[in-house]
Amino acid sequence: QVHLVESGGGLAQPGGSLRLSCTAPGFIVNSCGMDWYRQVAGKQREWVSRISSDGITSYTEAVKGRFTISKDKAKDTMYLQMNSLKPEDTAMYFCKTDGRICPYISLYDDYWGQGTQVTVSS
């Protein structure tokens, strides 16, 4: 059982910034890949970014150059720094890990946080 907890969402203006946090057990942050997803009500959940167990990062095209994923292993936390926010970034943001990228999780299992809401509006 893996407990992930997101925080840091809120209201931002277009062009503004927010930093999301995802806390997890230390052995997860240290040894597992972790993802950020986002979802708008009534629409399919969208993958946003990944940081691998080795710290390699990747992003969906829509956020490249604006968002940065990172980990602070000393704080058992993964972050998503979101800059130059756009209204289309408005969504519930979730952190996730799964057995394909984490040796402590069964291969076909995955674990999600509860989500944190990001709203970008003037």
Side-chain angles (χ1 to χ4, degrees):
Q1 188 79 318
V2 176
H3 190 208
L4 309 177
V5 180
E6 302 95 334
S7 62
L11 178 64
Q13 293 183 307
S17 297
L18 289 171
R19 188 177 72 168
L20 307 184
S21 298
C22 174
T23 59
F27 65 91
I28 296 295
V29 178
N30 281 318
S31 303
C32 301
M34 301 175 73
D35 294 319
W36 286 101
Y37 283 75
R38 63 187 182 186
Q39 187 172 27
V40 177
K43 302 186 72 174
Q44 187 174 3
R45 190 167 294 187
E46 175 190 25
W47 174 81
V48 176
S49 185
R50 171 171 289 178
I51 184 164
S52 76
S53 59
D54 296 321
I56 305 300
T57 62
S58 57
Y59 303 89
T60 189
E61 188 68 28
V63 309
K64 284 181 179 178
R66 300 188 298 117
F67 291 10
T68 304
I69 191 171
S70 63
K71 290 179 179 178
D72 186 337
K73 294 180 178 180
K75 296 183 178 180
D76 296 341
T77 301
M78 176 181 68
Y79 299 100
L80 186 67
Q81 178 68 46
M82 305 187 296
N83 297 328
S84 302
L85 283 164
K86 303 176 179 180
E88 50 263 47
D89 296 319
T90 296
M92 185 74 73
Y93 283 73
F94 300 87
C95 60
K96 177 212 175 190
T97 190
D98 67 68
R100 296 175 299 168
I101 57 176
C102 184
Y104 302 104
I105 298 173
S106 298
L107 183 61
Y108 297 105
D109 289 345
D110 54 34
Y111 292 90
W112 297 82
Q114 82 290 343
T116 186
Q117 178 66 39
V118 171
T119 301
V120 183
S121 176
S122 60

